[in-house]
Amino acid sequence: MSTDDIPRTLVVIAHPDPGSLTHHVSERLGAALRPGEVEVADLHQEGFDPRFTPADRRAYHEGGGPPPDVVREQQRLDRATDLVLVFPVYWWSVPALLKGWIDRVFVSGWAFEYSPAAGVLPKLQRLTTHLLPVAGADAGAYERHGYETALRTQLTHGLVDYVGSRRGATAFVHDSEQLSSEATGTTVDRAVHTVAAAVRAPASHS
């Protein structure tokens, strides 16, 4: 593998507690991906503002480029071959902080373009996106109620497919609040291994 072919992974975390299971999962993932290049975007620690501001709206309608904090996030993604979203599931969706990051960063002109003649033109074909949700409920509950399908529809179809990113791995850490730390550890190991293997797979960067 040449230097240009080495996976460069951006791991995005959305959780306010550095001692949380979400952070633990991201740390385990980072260790599993090395010696590959890994950049971590801890949105809470870095103080990312998830609010779609008047400046964002002006950039959307009038052009002229997005605000500097959005440009910084886009530059991080431009450097990456792989994106991994690591987040707790809140009300069967992503936390507001991560939703705001998506809203502000994956904007028209950078993530996609639209024209009446051609329709939507995705622009992020170079990127592979992986999902690592940390869920309180068990896998059975997600299957019975369709929660996993709903989350995949929101993110995999609604975001990843829309901007042209390749679909990577989705690996849930289910039943994250169980009493047995050993059982939780086994679930974390499995999810981290799944995502790390997908990042390292040559097919994901072809």
Short mmCIF file of all heavy atoms in Angstrom, two decimals, residues 4-61:
data_model
loop_
_atom_site.label_atom_id
_atom_site.label_comp_id
_atom_site.label_asym_id
_atom_site.label_seq_id
_atom_site.Cartn_x
_atom_site.Cartn_y
_atom_site.Cartn_z
N ASP A 4 -0.18 7.25 -0.33
CA ASP A 4 -1.46 7.87 -0.71
C ASP A 4 -2.64 6.94 -0.46
O ASP A 4 -3.78 7.38 -0.41
CB ASP A 4 -1.43 8.27 -2.18
CG ASP A 4 -0.50 9.45 -2.42
OD1 ASP A 4 -0.18 10.14 -1.44
OD2 ASP A 4 -0.08 9.65 -3.57
N ASP A 5 -2.38 5.62 -0.36
CA ASP A 5 -3.45 4.66 -0.18
C ASP A 5 -3.75 4.36 1.30
O ASP A 5 -4.66 3.62 1.60
CB ASP A 5 -3.11 3.34 -0.88
CG ASP A 5 -3.07 3.51 -2.40
OD1 ASP A 5 -3.81 4.37 -2.89
OD2 ASP A 5 -2.30 2.79 -3.04
N ILE A 6 -2.94 4.92 2.21
CA ILE A 6 -3.14 4.64 3.63
C ILE A 6 -4.46 5.28 4.09
O ILE A 6 -4.69 6.47 3.85
CB ILE A 6 -1.98 5.20 4.46
CG1 ILE A 6 -0.68 4.46 4.12
CG2 ILE A 6 -2.28 5.09 5.95
CD1 ILE A 6 0.54 5.04 4.81
N PRO A 7 -5.33 4.50 4.71
CA PRO A 7 -6.59 5.08 5.20
C PRO A 7 -6.34 6.21 6.20
O PRO A 7 -5.49 6.08 7.09
CB PRO A 7 -7.28 3.89 5.87
CG PRO A 7 -6.67 2.68 5.25
CD PRO A 7 -5.25 3.06 4.95
N ARG A 8 -7.04 7.28 6.04
CA ARG A 8 -7.00 8.39 6.99
C ARG A 8 -8.40 8.53 7.55
O ARG A 8 -9.32 8.93 6.83
CB ARG A 8 -6.54 9.67 6.30
CG ARG A 8 -5.11 9.60 5.78
CD ARG A 8 -4.74 10.86 4.99
NE ARG A 8 -3.34 10.85 4.61
CZ ARG A 8 -2.86 10.26 3.53
NH1 ARG A 8 -3.70 9.62 2.71
NH2 ARG A 8 -1.57 10.29 3.24
N THR A 9 -8.55 8.20 8.81
CA THR A 9 -9.88 8.08 9.41
C THR A 9 -10.18 9.27 10.31
O THR A 9 -9.37 9.63 11.17
CB THR A 9 -9.98 6.79 10.23
OG1 THR A 9 -9.61 5.68 9.41
CG2 THR A 9 -11.39 6.58 10.74
N LEU A 10 -11.34 9.87 10.11
CA LEU A 10 -11.84 10.90 11.01
C LEU A 10 -12.91 10.27 11.88
O LEU A 10 -13.94 9.79 11.38
CB LEU A 10 -12.44 12.06 10.22
CG LEU A 10 -13.07 13.18 11.07
CD1 LEU A 10 -12.00 13.87 11.92
CD2 LEU A 10 -13.79 14.20 10.18
N VAL A 11 -12.66 10.23 13.19
CA VAL A 11 -13.61 9.69 14.15
C VAL A 11 -14.31 10.86 14.83
O VAL A 11 -13.66 11.69 15.48
CB VAL A 11 -12.91 8.81 15.21
CG1 VAL A 11 -13.91 8.29 16.23
CG2 VAL A 11 -12.17 7.65 14.54
N VAL A 12 -15.62 10.96 14.67
CA VAL A 12 -16.40 12.07 15.23
C VAL A 12 -17.19 11.54 16.42
O VAL A 12 -17.95 10.57 16.30
CB VAL A 12 -17.34 12.67 14.17
CG1 VAL A 12 -18.21 13.75 14.80
CG2 VAL A 12 -16.53 13.25 13.01
N ILE A 13 -17.01 12.19 17.58
CA ILE A 13 -17.66 11.78 18.82
C ILE A 13 -18.62 12.88 19.27
O ILE A 13 -18.27 14.06 19.24
CB ILE A 13 -16.64 11.55 19.96
CG1 ILE A 13 -15.46 10.71 19.48
CG2 ILE A 13 -17.30 10.91 21.17
CD1 ILE A 13 -14.28 10.77 20.42
N ALA A 14 -19.80 12.47 19.71
CA ALA A 14 -20.78 13.43 20.22
C ALA A 14 -21.27 12.95 21.58
O ALA A 14 -22.28 12.26 21.68
CB ALA A 14 -21.94 13.60 19.25
N HIS A 15 -20.53 13.29 22.63
CA HIS A 15 -20.94 12.94 24.00
C HIS A 15 -20.24 13.90 24.96
O HIS A 15 -19.03 14.16 24.81
CB HIS A 15 -20.56 11.51 24.34
CG HIS A 15 -21.28 10.97 25.54
ND1 HIS A 15 -21.04 11.43 26.82
CD2 HIS A 15 -22.25 10.02 25.65
CE1 HIS A 15 -21.83 10.79 27.67
NE2 HIS A 15 -22.58 9.94 26.99
N PRO A 16 -20.96 14.45 25.96
CA PRO A 16 -20.36 15.46 26.83
C PRO A 16 -19.40 14.91 27.89
O PRO A 16 -18.63 15.67 28.46
CB PRO A 16 -21.58 16.11 27.50
CG PRO A 16 -22.62 15.03 27.49
CD PRO A 16 -22.40 14.28 26.21
N ASP A 17 -19.45 13.61 28.17
CA ASP A 17 -18.67 13.03 29.27
C ASP A 17 -17.47 12.26 28.73
O ASP A 17 -17.64 11.21 28.09
CB ASP A 17 -19.57 12.09 30.09
CG ASP A 17 -18.85 11.49 31.28
OD1 ASP A 17 -17.66 11.84 31.51
OD2 ASP A 17 -19.46 10.68 31.99
N PRO A 18 -16.25 12.74 28.99
CA PRO A 18 -15.06 12.03 28.49
C PRO A 18 -14.89 10.65 29.11
O PRO A 18 -14.13 9.82 28.58
CB PRO A 18 -13.90 12.95 28.86
CG PRO A 18 -14.43 13.82 29.96
CD PRO A 18 -15.89 13.98 29.69
N GLY A 19 -15.60 10.38 30.22
CA GLY A 19 -15.52 9.06 30.83
C GLY A 19 -16.63 8.12 30.38
O GLY A 19 -16.81 7.04 30.94
N SER A 20 -17.37 8.51 29.37
CA SER A 20 -18.52 7.73 28.92
C SER A 20 -18.09 6.50 28.12
O SER A 20 -16.96 6.40 27.64
CB SER A 20 -19.42 8.60 28.03
OG SER A 20 -18.72 8.96 26.83
N LEU A 21 -19.04 5.59 27.96
CA LEU A 21 -18.80 4.42 27.11
C LEU A 21 -18.56 4.85 25.67
O LEU A 21 -17.75 4.25 24.97
CB LEU A 21 -19.99 3.46 27.19
CG LEU A 21 -19.89 2.18 26.36
CD1 LEU A 21 -18.67 1.35 26.76
CD2 LEU A 21 -21.17 1.35 26.48
N THR A 22 -19.23 5.89 25.23
CA THR A 22 -19.03 6.40 23.87
C THR A 22 -17.57 6.78 23.64
O THR A 22 -16.97 6.42 22.63
CB THR A 22 -19.94 7.61 23.59
OG1 THR A 22 -21.30 7.22 23.77
CG2 THR A 22 -19.73 8.15 22.19
N HIS A 23 -16.98 7.49 24.59
CA HIS A 23 -15.56 7.85 24.47
C HIS A 23 -14.67 6.62 24.56
O HIS A 23 -13.66 6.52 23.84
CB HIS A 23 -15.19 8.87 25.55
CG HIS A 23 -15.53 10.27 25.20
ND1 HIS A 23 -16.81 10.78 25.33
CD2 HIS A 23 -14.79 11.28 24.69
CE1 HIS A 23 -16.82 12.05 24.95
NE2 HIS A 23 -15.61 12.37 24.55
N HIS A 24 -15.03 5.70 25.43
CA HIS A 24 -14.25 4.46 25.54
C HIS A 24 -14.24 3.71 24.21
O HIS A 24 -13.19 3.24 23.75
CB HIS A 24 -14.84 3.57 26.64
CG HIS A 24 -14.22 2.21 26.70
ND1 HIS A 24 -12.92 1.99 27.13
CD2 HIS A 24 -14.72 0.99 26.37
CE1 HIS A 24 -12.65 0.70 27.07
NE2 HIS A 24 -13.73 0.07 26.62
N VAL A 25 -15.40 3.64 23.57
CA VAL A 25 -15.50 2.96 22.27
C VAL A 25 -14.62 3.66 21.24
O VAL A 25 -13.90 3.01 20.46
CB VAL A 25 -16.96 2.91 21.80
CG1 VAL A 25 -17.05 2.46 20.35
CG2 VAL A 25 -17.78 1.99 22.69
N SER A 26 -14.65 4.98 21.22
CA SER A 26 -13.85 5.71 20.23
C SER A 26 -12.36 5.52 20.49
O SER A 26 -11.56 5.42 19.54
CB SER A 26 -14.20 7.21 20.26
OG SER A 26 -13.78 7.81 21.46
N GLU A 27 -11.97 5.47 21.76
CA GLU A 27 -10.56 5.23 22.08
C GLU A 27 -10.12 3.85 21.65
O GLU A 27 -9.02 3.66 21.11
CB GLU A 27 -10.33 5.42 23.59
CG GLU A 27 -10.45 6.88 24.04
CD GLU A 27 -10.61 7.01 25.54
OE1 GLU A 27 -10.53 5.96 26.23
OE2 GLU A 27 -10.83 8.14 26.01
N ARG A 28 -10.98 2.87 21.89
CA ARG A 28 -10.67 1.50 21.45
C ARG A 28 -10.56 1.43 19.93
O ARG A 28 -9.68 0.74 19.39
CB ARG A 28 -11.76 0.55 21.94
CG ARG A 28 -11.78 0.32 23.45
CD ARG A 28 -10.60 -0.56 23.88
NE ARG A 28 -10.54 -1.76 23.08
CZ ARG A 28 -11.32 -2.84 23.27
NH1 ARG A 28 -12.20 -2.84 24.28
NH2 ARG A 28 -11.21 -3.89 22.50
N LEU A 29 -11.44 2.15 19.26
CA LEU A 29 -11.40 2.15 17.80
C LEU A 29 -10.11 2.79 17.29
O LEU A 29 -9.46 2.26 16.38
CB LEU A 29 -12.61 2.89 17.24
CG LEU A 29 -12.66 3.00 15.71
CD1 LEU A 29 -12.78 1.63 15.07
CD2 LEU A 29 -13.83 3.89 15.29
N GLY A 30 -9.74 3.92 17.88
CA GLY A 30 -8.51 4.58 17.47
C GLY A 30 -7.30 3.67 17.62
O GLY A 30 -6.43 3.60 16.75
N ALA A 31 -7.25 2.94 18.74
CA ALA A 31 -6.13 2.01 18.97
C ALA A 31 -6.15 0.89 17.95
O ALA A 31 -5.10 0.45 17.46
CB ALA A 31 -6.22 1.45 20.38
N ALA A 32 -7.34 0.41 17.59
CA ALA A 32 -7.45 -0.69 16.63
C ALA A 32 -7.07 -0.25 15.22
O ALA A 32 -6.62 -1.08 14.42
CB ALA A 32 -8.88 -1.23 16.64
N LEU A 33 -7.23 1.01 14.90
CA LEU A 33 -6.93 1.50 13.56
C LEU A 33 -5.46 1.85 13.35
O LEU A 33 -5.00 1.93 12.20
CB LEU A 33 -7.78 2.74 13.26
CG LEU A 33 -9.28 2.51 13.10
CD1 LEU A 33 -10.01 3.84 12.98
CD2 LEU A 33 -9.56 1.64 11.88
N ARG A 34 -4.73 2.10 14.42
CA ARG A 34 -3.33 2.45 14.27
C ARG A 34 -2.52 1.21 13.88
O ARG A 34 -2.88 0.10 14.28
CB ARG A 34 -2.82 3.09 15.55
CG ARG A 34 -3.50 4.44 15.79
CD ARG A 34 -2.94 5.18 17.00
NE ARG A 34 -3.58 6.49 17.11
CZ ARG A 34 -4.69 6.72 17.82
NH1 ARG A 34 -5.26 5.75 18.47
NH2 ARG A 34 -5.21 7.93 17.85
N PRO A 35 -1.45 1.37 13.06
CA PRO A 35 -0.71 2.60 12.77
C PRO A 35 -1.29 3.46 11.66
O PRO A 35 -0.62 4.39 11.19
CB PRO A 35 0.67 2.07 12.37
CG PRO A 35 0.37 0.78 11.71
CD PRO A 35 -0.79 0.19 12.47
N GLY A 36 -2.50 3.21 11.21
CA GLY A 36 -3.12 4.11 10.24
C GLY A 36 -3.33 5.49 10.87
O GLY A 36 -3.31 5.66 12.08
N GLU A 37 -3.54 6.49 10.02
CA GLU A 37 -3.72 7.85 10.50
C GLU A 37 -5.15 8.04 11.01
O GLU A 37 -6.11 7.74 10.31
CB GLU A 37 -3.43 8.86 9.39
CG GLU A 37 -1.98 8.85 8.94
CD GLU A 37 -1.69 9.96 7.94
OE1 GLU A 37 -2.43 10.97 7.95
OE2 GLU A 37 -0.75 9.80 7.16
N VAL A 38 -5.27 8.52 12.25
CA VAL A 38 -6.57 8.72 12.88
C VAL A 38 -6.64 10.13 13.44
O VAL A 38 -5.76 10.57 14.19
CB VAL A 38 -6.81 7.70 14.01
CG1 VAL A 38 -8.18 7.94 14.64
CG2 VAL A 38 -6.69 6.27 13.50
N GLU A 39 -7.69 10.86 13.09
CA GLU A 39 -7.97 12.17 13.66
C GLU A 39 -9.28 12.07 14.41
O GLU A 39 -10.24 11.49 13.90
CB GLU A 39 -8.04 13.24 12.59
CG GLU A 39 -8.28 14.63 13.16
CD GLU A 39 -8.26 15.73 12.09
OE1 GLU A 39 -8.13 15.40 10.89
OE2 GLU A 39 -8.39 16.91 12.47
N VAL A 40 -9.33 12.63 15.61
CA VAL A 40 -10.53 12.57 16.43
C VAL A 40 -11.15 13.96 16.54
O VAL A 40 -10.46 14.92 16.89
CB VAL A 40 -10.23 12.03 17.84
CG1 VAL A 40 -11.47 12.06 18.72
CG2 VAL A 40 -9.68 10.60 17.76
N ALA A 41 -12.42 14.06 16.24
CA ALA A 41 -13.17 15.29 16.41
C ALA A 41 -14.15 15.09 17.56
O ALA A 41 -15.20 14.47 17.38
CB ALA A 41 -13.90 15.66 15.12
N ASP A 42 -13.79 15.57 18.73
CA ASP A 42 -14.66 15.49 19.91
C ASP A 42 -15.49 16.77 19.93
O ASP A 42 -15.04 17.82 20.40
CB ASP A 42 -13.80 15.37 21.17
CG ASP A 42 -14.61 15.17 22.43
OD1 ASP A 42 -15.80 15.56 22.45
OD2 ASP A 42 -14.06 14.65 23.42
N LEU A 43 -16.69 16.70 19.39
CA LEU A 43 -17.48 17.90 19.14
C LEU A 43 -17.79 18.68 20.41
O LEU A 43 -17.80 19.91 20.41
CB LEU A 43 -18.77 17.53 18.41
CG LEU A 43 -18.60 16.85 17.05
CD1 LEU A 43 -19.98 16.59 16.43
CD2 LEU A 43 -17.73 17.67 16.11
N HIS A 44 -18.06 17.97 21.50
CA HIS A 44 -18.38 18.67 22.75
C HIS A 44 -17.13 19.33 23.32
O HIS A 44 -17.16 20.51 23.71
CB HIS A 44 -18.98 17.70 23.77
CG HIS A 44 -19.54 18.38 24.98
ND1 HIS A 44 -18.78 18.70 26.08
CD2 HIS A 44 -20.80 18.83 25.26
CE1 HIS A 44 -19.53 19.31 26.97
NE2 HIS A 44 -20.75 19.39 26.51
N GLN A 45 -16.04 18.60 23.38
CA GLN A 45 -14.81 19.14 23.96
C GLN A 45 -14.30 20.34 23.15
O GLN A 45 -13.76 21.30 23.71
CB GLN A 45 -13.74 18.04 24.02
CG GLN A 45 -12.50 18.39 24.84
CD GLN A 45 -11.46 19.16 24.03
OE1 GLN A 45 -11.36 18.98 22.82
NE2 GLN A 45 -10.71 20.01 24.70
N GLU A 46 -14.49 20.29 21.85
CA GLU A 46 -14.02 21.36 20.98
C GLU A 46 -14.98 22.54 20.93
O GLU A 46 -14.67 23.58 20.34
CB GLU A 46 -13.78 20.83 19.57
CG GLU A 46 -12.64 19.81 19.51
CD GLU A 46 -12.49 19.19 18.13
OE1 GLU A 46 -13.26 19.59 17.22
OE2 GLU A 46 -11.61 18.33 17.96
N GLY A 47 -16.17 22.37 21.49
CA GLY A 47 -17.13 23.47 21.54
C GLY A 47 -17.79 23.77 20.21
O GLY A 47 -18.16 24.93 19.93
N PHE A 48 -17.99 22.74 19.38
CA PHE A 48 -18.65 22.98 18.09
C PHE A 48 -20.08 23.47 18.32
O PHE A 48 -20.82 22.91 19.12
CB PHE A 48 -18.67 21.70 17.25
CG PHE A 48 -19.31 21.89 15.91
CD1 PHE A 48 -18.59 22.46 14.87
CD2 PHE A 48 -20.64 21.54 15.70
CE1 PHE A 48 -19.19 22.66 13.62
CE2 PHE A 48 -21.24 21.74 14.47
CZ PHE A 48 -20.51 22.30 13.42
N ASP A 49 -20.46 24.51 17.61
CA ASP A 49 -21.80 25.08 17.74
C ASP A 49 -22.72 24.39 16.74
O ASP A 49 -22.56 24.56 15.52
CB ASP A 49 -21.76 26.58 17.45
CG ASP A 49 -23.10 27.27 17.71
OD1 ASP A 49 -24.11 26.56 17.94
OD2 ASP A 49 -23.13 28.51 17.68
N PRO A 50 -23.71 23.61 17.20
CA PRO A 50 -24.57 22.87 16.27
C PRO A 50 -25.69 23.71 15.67
O PRO A 50 -26.40 23.23 14.79
CB PRO A 50 -25.16 21.78 17.16
CG PRO A 50 -25.23 22.40 18.51
CD PRO A 50 -24.02 23.30 18.61
N ARG A 51 -25.83 24.95 16.10
CA ARG A 51 -26.94 25.76 15.63
C ARG A 51 -26.70 26.26 14.21
O ARG A 51 -25.64 26.80 13.90
CB ARG A 51 -27.16 26.95 16.56
CG ARG A 51 -27.56 26.56 17.97
CD ARG A 51 -27.57 27.77 18.89
NE ARG A 51 -26.24 28.37 19.00
CZ ARG A 51 -25.98 29.47 19.69
NH1 ARG A 51 -26.95 30.10 20.32
NH2 ARG A 51 -24.74 29.94 19.75
N PHE A 52 -27.70 26.08 13.36
CA PHE A 52 -27.65 26.61 12.00
C PHE A 52 -27.90 28.11 12.09
O PHE A 52 -29.01 28.56 12.40
CB PHE A 52 -28.70 25.92 11.14
CG PHE A 52 -28.50 26.10 9.66
CD1 PHE A 52 -27.66 25.26 8.96
CD2 PHE A 52 -29.17 27.11 8.97
CE1 PHE A 52 -27.47 25.41 7.59
CE2 PHE A 52 -28.99 27.27 7.60
CZ PHE A 52 -28.14 26.43 6.91
N THR A 53 -26.87 28.91 11.84
CA THR A 53 -26.89 30.34 12.13
C THR A 53 -27.31 31.16 10.92
O THR A 53 -27.38 30.65 9.79
CB THR A 53 -25.48 30.79 12.56
OG1 THR A 53 -24.60 30.66 11.42
CG2 THR A 53 -24.95 29.94 13.71
N PRO A 54 -27.57 32.46 11.13
CA PRO A 54 -27.82 33.34 9.98
C PRO A 54 -26.68 33.31 8.96
O PRO A 54 -26.92 33.41 7.76
CB PRO A 54 -27.97 34.72 10.62
CG PRO A 54 -28.51 34.43 11.99
CD PRO A 54 -27.82 33.17 12.41
N ALA A 55 -25.44 33.17 9.44
CA ALA A 55 -24.30 33.09 8.51
C ALA A 55 -24.38 31.83 7.66
O ALA A 55 -24.05 31.85 6.47
CB ALA A 55 -22.99 33.12 9.30
N ASP A 56 -24.81 30.71 8.26
CA ASP A 56 -25.00 29.49 7.49
C ASP A 56 -26.08 29.69 6.43
O ASP A 56 -25.94 29.24 5.28
CB ASP A 56 -25.41 28.34 8.41
CG ASP A 56 -24.33 27.93 9.38
OD1 ASP A 56 -23.25 27.50 8.92
OD2 ASP A 56 -24.56 28.02 10.60
N ARG A 57 -27.14 30.34 6.82
CA ARG A 57 -28.26 30.55 5.88
C ARG A 57 -27.83 31.45 4.73
O ARG A 57 -28.18 31.20 3.57
CB ARG A 57 -29.45 31.15 6.63
CG ARG A 57 -30.67 31.37 5.75
CD ARG A 57 -31.88 31.75 6.57
NE ARG A 57 -33.00 32.14 5.72
CZ ARG A 57 -33.82 31.29 5.11
NH1 ARG A 57 -33.63 29.99 5.27
NH2 ARG A 57 -34.81 31.72 4.37
N ARG A 58 -27.06 32.51 5.04
CA ARG A 58 -26.58 33.41 3.98
C ARG A 58 -25.68 32.64 3.01
O ARG A 58 -25.76 32.83 1.79
CB ARG A 58 -25.83 34.59 4.58
CG ARG A 58 -26.74 35.65 5.19
CD ARG A 58 -25.97 36.92 5.47
NE ARG A 58 -24.89 36.70 6.44
CZ ARG A 58 -25.04 36.79 7.75
NH1 ARG A 58 -26.24 37.08 8.27
NH2 ARG A 58 -24.02 36.59 8.56
N ALA A 59 -24.80 31.79 3.57
CA ALA A 59 -23.91 31.01 2.71
C ALA A 59 -24.70 30.08 1.81
O ALA A 59 -24.36 29.90 0.64
CB ALA A 59 -22.93 30.22 3.57
N TYR A 60 -25.78 29.51 2.34
CA TYR A 60 -26.62 28.61 1.56
C TYR A 60 -27.33 29.34 0.42
O TYR A 60 -27.37 28.86 -0.72
CB TYR A 60 -27.63 27.93 2.48
CG TYR A 60 -28.56 26.98 1.78
CD1 TYR A 60 -28.14 25.68 1.45
CD2 TYR A 60 -29.85 27.36 1.43
CE1 TYR A 60 -28.99 24.80 0.79
CE2 TYR A 60 -30.70 26.48 0.77
CZ TYR A 60 -30.27 25.21 0.46
OH TYR A 60 -31.11 24.35 -0.20
N HIS A 61 -27.88 30.51 0.72
CA HIS A 61 -28.69 31.22 -0.27
C HIS A 61 -27.89 32.16 -1.17
O HIS A 61 -28.25 32.36 -2.33
CB HIS A 61 -29.79 32.02 0.44
CG HIS A 61 -30.91 31.18 0.95
ND1 HIS A 61 -31.86 30.62 0.14
CD2 HIS A 61 -31.23 30.78 2.22
CE1 HIS A 61 -32.71 29.91 0.86
NE2 HIS A 61 -32.35 30.00 2.12
#
